[in-house]
Amino acid sequence: MQSLYSKYRRVLGSVSTAFKRSLSESINWSSRAICIEGARGTGKSTLMLQYIKESLPADKTLYVSLDDLYFKQHPLTEVAETFYNEGGRHLFLDEVHKYEDWQSAIKNIYDFFPELQLVISGSSILELQKSQADLSRRLVRYYLPELSLREYIALRYSTKTEKISLGDLLSNSGNLADHLIQTVPSPLKYFKEYLSYGSYPFIMEGEGEYLAKINQLINVIIDYDLPEAKAIEVSTQAKLKRLLYIISTCVPYKPNISKLAEQIGTSRVRLLEMLYILEQAQLINSLRSSVHGISLMNKPEKIFLENNSLITALAEGVPDTGNQRETFFLSQLRNSGAQVTYPDLGDFKVNDQYLFEVGGKNKTSKQVKNIPNSFLALDDIEYGYGNTIPLWMFGFLY
């Protein structure tokens, strides 16, 4: 226990609270048991440590990562019991999916130590989702997405702005733009940066290593995280990477499933399963024509990478501008909690209420003309007018 406690105090002392993810304000930290899900590299560990540093007594709190070799010889339940008996009341468990049969261990700790608060997190979203049936009554779940444009600006330039709601953006974009540009001059400059380097907090470690780290992140997810959660062959792992590359190089991608399966070298049914796996792993964002949920047989109408940094890392040469714009719009809206589906007309339908066309500054509204609640989200403009809204402003929704 002493070694775990020493590691915890060292890492707690090194964490900065200068920038905090907006999710930290939404979490009900008084809940008895909390699960924070999110893709690798989004800042889950930092989020937990920041809360400990600012809000909890350090001597009654313990943060551990379950990929620590200590847990090869010491059961997690034994560590929890010792910590509890010594007066501990807040136990934070990171990389929880690395511990064998972690679901049973969490269930036992929750049931046997009623005064102990549990906060767990993990990067293997597929593995964490397997626990929903057993732990649904015990855990309050939260999802930490990649950085928004707003968060990127706050992290990299220490320029803080307030979140804006979708309703306010649609009804009052002109006044909101005036207010934002007073704080964030030249927003298009930051927007262009964000498309290349803005999705992950480790941009603060330097642009030179950023894209290489994203490629490493992709390899870890496909080569290690997915096989831990599903039976996946090595040949399938190679096909998943090939599939990601194809998506990254395309214009906003409307897949021909049979043709794509032939291109990858697999069957149609197997390809749909691969797309489902990549979506569950938060590597792609599929757009469907209904909100009936993600399923193996619910074929996507369009396929995007999960965020813009993935496009930059995977695409050879200059990424397609239309793909970048639509990927940005879809990721920012979904990460803010909106439902986004594929419409009969236009590019995106949001919350089954609003219709959007996404494009450059010269795009017209002829495709959605005379349709109620229809809007243009346009790049290369700082201010909008009427139903035209600058695309960059959708990066301030969370």
Side-chain angles (χ1 to χ4, degrees), residues 74-359:
H74 299 85
L76 175 58
T77 51
E78 178 184 289
V79 170
E81 182 175 11
T82 301
F83 173 64
Y84 183 83
N85 289 338
E86 292 177 354
R89 291 298 179 264
H90 307 278
L91 182 58
F92 287 69
L93 305 174
D94 203 0
E95 297 294 332
V96 68
H97 61 282
K98 293 294 184 180
Y99 187 83
E100 187 175 355
D101 197 19
W102 64 270
Q103 297 98 324
S104 296
I106 296 300
K107 181 178 179 296
N108 287 334
I109 294 170
Y110 182 96
D111 291 344
F112 297 144
F113 305 103
E115 295 182 25
L116 181 66
Q117 182 191 37
L118 279 172
V119 181
I120 70 172
S121 79
S123 299
S124 178
I125 296 176
L126 278 83
E127 184 66 30
L128 291 178
Q129 288 170 346
K130 290 163 61 175
S131 71
Q132 286 191 3
D134 292 338
L135 298 175
S136 60
R137 293 185 298 104
R138 296 173 174 85
L139 292 175
V140 180
R141 294 176 181 267
Y142 297 90
Y143 176 71
L144 182 66
E146 296 84 7
L147 294 171
S148 66
L149 172 60
R150 168 183 166 269
E151 290 179 310
Y152 166 76
I153 294 170
L155 172 64
R156 198 163 189 195
Y157 297 101
S158 301
T159 302
K160 297 181 180 180
T161 56
E162 296 295 323
K163 291 186 290 186
I164 57 179
S165 72
L166 180 61
D168 287 344
L169 177 57
L170 300 185
S171 63
N172 194 28
S173 66
N175 288 334
L176 288 172
D178 282 333
H179 179 72
L180 285 172
I181 290 173
Q182 288 179 15
T183 308
V184 185
S186 304
L188 293 176
K189 167 184 175 292
Y190 298 113
F191 176 67
K192 300 303 182 186
E193 284 182 16
Y194 176 86
L195 294 183
S196 295
Y197 299 106
S199 296
Y200 298 98
F202 51 78
I203 182 58
M204 298 303 288
E205 298 171 23
E207 290 183 8
E209 300 178 4
Y210 183 76
L211 299 182
K213 288 182 178 179
I214 292 177
N215 279 287
Q216 292 172 6
L217 180 150
I218 294 168
N219 287 330
V220 168
I221 292 173
I222 293 178
D223 294 340
Y224 297 97
D225 290 347
L226 294 186
E228 287 180 353
K230 288 182 173 289
I232 295 179
E233 299 175 352
V234 174
S235 60
T236 300
Q237 293 171 319
K239 290 174 182 176
L240 288 170
K241 294 176 184 178
R242 170 67 175 160
L243 185 54
L244 283 176
Y245 171 75
I246 291 173
I247 296 169
S248 73
T249 58
C250 291
V251 299
Y253 189 47
K254 298 181 178 180
N256 180 318
I257 297 299
S258 298
K259 184 177 180 181
L260 184 57
E262 183 179 347
Q263 192 174 359
I264 296 296
T266 189
S267 68
R268 186 181 190 280
V269 172
R270 184 59 174 158
L271 178 67
L272 287 171
E273 183 181 355
M274 290 167 65
L275 290 172
Y276 175 80
I277 290 171
L278 289 175
E279 190 166 9
Q280 295 294 93
Q282 307 297 303
L283 287 172
I284 67 172
N285 227 339
S286 294
L287 192 66
R288 294 177 170 83
S289 57
S290 68
V291 293
H292 297 309
I294 301 170
S295 72
L296 285 174
M297 302 313 295
N298 188 3
K299 182 184 83 70
E301 301 294 337
K302 281 187 178 181
I303 304 173
F304 302 87
L305 292 183
E306 174 69 19
N307 60 66
N308 290 89
S309 289
L310 291 174
I311 296 177
T312 307
L314 289 172
E316 295 181 354
V318 179
D320 178 80
T321 302
N323 192 13
Q324 286 185 311
R325 290 166 176 162
E326 293 194 19
T327 297
F328 172 81
F329 181 89
L330 180 59
S331 65
Q332 302 298 294
L333 266 292
R334 281 192 170 163
N335 289 342
S336 70
Q339 288 184 324
V340 188
T341 55
Y342 184 77
D344 295 329
L345 292 172
D347 292 322
F348 300 98
K349 194 167 189 178
V350 176
N351 293 337
D352 204 29
Q353 183 179 2
Y354 306 110
L355 188 64
F356 289 91
E357 276 276 313
V358 177

